[in-house]
């Protein structure tokens, strides 16, 4: 399991211009089962994605397809972790 922290490195005008394409990217990877949860950071400096992938390298390949990445609008910090506890409604993620 992975936590992906996106940090915008370009202005919100650039981010907003890419937002519709970024949402399509997210939807594609929700449908594939890679992304489990996502949302913007507050204050609006980036976003967070909870993801599952067979490896860090596989996830990095997925993230390279994000319009925010291909246009250089965001930096990605990927944290891998092994979940060992969950709230009952999230137990299926273990």
């Amino acid at each position: 399991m992975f936590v992906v922290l996106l940090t915008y490195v370009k202005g919100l005008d650039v981010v907003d211009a890419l937002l519709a394409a970024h949402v399509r990217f997210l939807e594609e990877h929700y449908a594939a089962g890679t992304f489990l949860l996502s949302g913007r950071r507050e204050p609006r400096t980036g976003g967070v994605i909870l993801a599952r992938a067979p490896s860090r390298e596989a996830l990095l390949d997925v993230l390279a397809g994000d319009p925010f990445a291909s246009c250089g609008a965001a930096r990605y910090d990927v944290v891998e972790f092994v979940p060992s506890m969950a709230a009952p409604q999230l137990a299926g993620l273990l």
Side-chain angles (χ1 to χ4, degrees):
M1 186 92 48
F2 299 89
V3 175
V4 181
L5 299 175
L6 288 78
T7 302
Y8 300 144
V9 294
K10 292 199 175 172
L12 288 178
D13 56 329
V14 174
V15 169
D16 287 341
L18 296 167
L19 196 55
H22 172 70
V23 169
R24 287 190 297 276
F25 163 79
L26 292 173
E27 291 170 343
E28 174 186 343
H29 293 286
Y30 271 106
T34 305
F35 295 163
L36 306 172
L37 188 70
S38 63
R40 74 180 196 186
R41 291 165 64 174
E42 194 58 45
R44 193 173 173 211
T45 58
V48 179
I49 301 171
L50 181 63
R52 70 170 101 191
S55 68
R56 176 190 258 324
E57 293 75 23
L59 180 57
L60 291 174
D61 286 344
V62 167
L63 295 173
D66 185 351
F68 285 172
S70 60
C71 293
R75 180 183 76 239
Y76 300 76
D77 295 307
V78 177
V79 178
E80 185 171 5
F81 74 104
V82 178
S84 58
M85 294 180 71
Q89 60 271 39
L90 299 176
L93 296 177
L94 296 178

